[in-house]
Amino acid sequence: MRVIVLAKNMKLTPALKEAVERKLSKLDKYFSPDVEAKATLSVQKGKHKIEVTIPFNGVILRCEESTEDMYKSIDIIEDKVERQIRKQKTKLQRRNSNESVRFLNFDNIEDKDEEEDSSVVKTKKFLVKPMLTDEAILQMELVGHSFYVFKDADSNEVKVIYKRKDGNYGLIEPEFQ
């Protein structure tokens, strides 16, 4: 596994780079040599933050940790990535044993009034690939977001899966006129 270490709002010292590479190289046993791990170190408001992104086989593992010490953040991030790997393996085993979750009934989604002074502060583009709803849930949890946009493999329509406050999932299926 190749490790790329980047720094934002701080100077990347050789000791920090070596510490990140040493910790992430312990995860080599889970990945093939051509997999690339990207670690971004930053300091924001006195917090030392590390973000690790590992894309492989169409899956993206993403973890972040923020503490008052960068070396402490680096130590914690290794355990977080390993937990995500185990979590993904378990979910894949469940999915392959045909014990998947089926979504039949969904609650209606209520629109919330937006404030007039709000504005778009970030735009993000990404590749939308066909997948089943179960795989979209797995991807959403792996990237740590509360929603995930995907193209349904069965109907070829764009859908949004989201995590509800009660811990269940919701699915948004847009209708076009």
Side-chain angles (χ1 to χ4, degrees):
M1 178 169 70
R2 294 185 311 269
V3 178
I4 298 172
V5 183
L6 304 171
K8 277 192 206 174
N9 304 330
M10 64 177 284
K11 184 178 181 204
L12 181 63
T13 64
L16 275 175
K17 184 175 180 178
E18 195 253 317
V20 172
E21 289 174 344
R22 186 178 64 247
K23 285 291 182 180
L24 293 181
S25 68
K26 291 180 182 178
L27 303 172
D28 277 344
K29 58 187 172 191
Y30 299 112
F31 302 104
S32 61
D34 61 328
V35 171
E36 187 174 276
K38 180 180 170 186
T40 305
L41 308 174
S42 62
V43 178
Q44 297 172 345
K45 297 181 182 177
K47 290 286 189 177
H48 297 264
K49 182 177 178 181
I50 180 170
E51 297 176 38
V52 176
T53 307
I54 307 172
F56 68 100
N57 294 342
V59 175
I60 299 173
L61 291 176
R62 184 183 171 282
C63 293
E64 65 180 62
E65 182 59 40
S66 180
T67 64
E68 56 282 338
D69 179 48
M70 185 60 77
Y71 289 100
K72 186 175 180 182
S73 297
I74 293 168
D75 288 340
I76 295 171
I77 201 74
E78 176 194 1
D79 294 331
K80 280 190 166 186
V81 173
E82 268 193 300
R83 275 196 303 272
Q84 275 205 0
I85 292 169
R86 283 194 298 273
K87 186 176 180 180
Q88 182 195 18
K89 180 181 176 187
T90 303
K91 286 186 176 189
L92 286 174
Q93 287 173 339
R94 282 188 198 145
R95 190 178 73 196
N96 291 338
S97 66
N98 294 327
E99 295 177 15
S100 61
V101 179
R102 296 288 178 222
F103 299 97
L104 300 174
N105 299 317
F106 293 101
D107 296 337
N108 291 334
I109 301 164
E110 297 179 18
D111 293 332
K112 294 184 179 178
D113 295 337
E114 294 183 11
E115 297 179 18
E116 291 179 21
D117 60 348
S118 61
S119 62
V120 176
V121 294
K122 183 176 180 181
T123 302
K124 190 172 187 177
K125 292 184 179 186
F126 58 95
L127 180 66
V128 179
K129 71 172 201 161
M131 62 180 70
L132 299 174
T133 305
D134 293 342
E135 186 179 353
I137 292 171
L138 177 65
Q139 288 292 322
M140 176 184 67
E141 297 218 353
L142 287 173
V143 295
H145 291 169
S146 58
F147 69 94
Y148 193 80
V149 179
F150 68 102
K151 188 176 191 179
D152 189 280
D154 295 331
S155 65
N156 217 18
E157 294 176 348
V158 175
K159 297 182 179 182
V160 178
I161 191 83
Y162 65 97
K163 186 143 190 162
R164 296 170 41 94
K165 289 180 183 176
D166 63 5
N168 293 316
Y169 299 98
L171 183 67
I172 299 173
E173 299 177 328
E175 289 183 15
F176 301 101
Q177 294 181 347

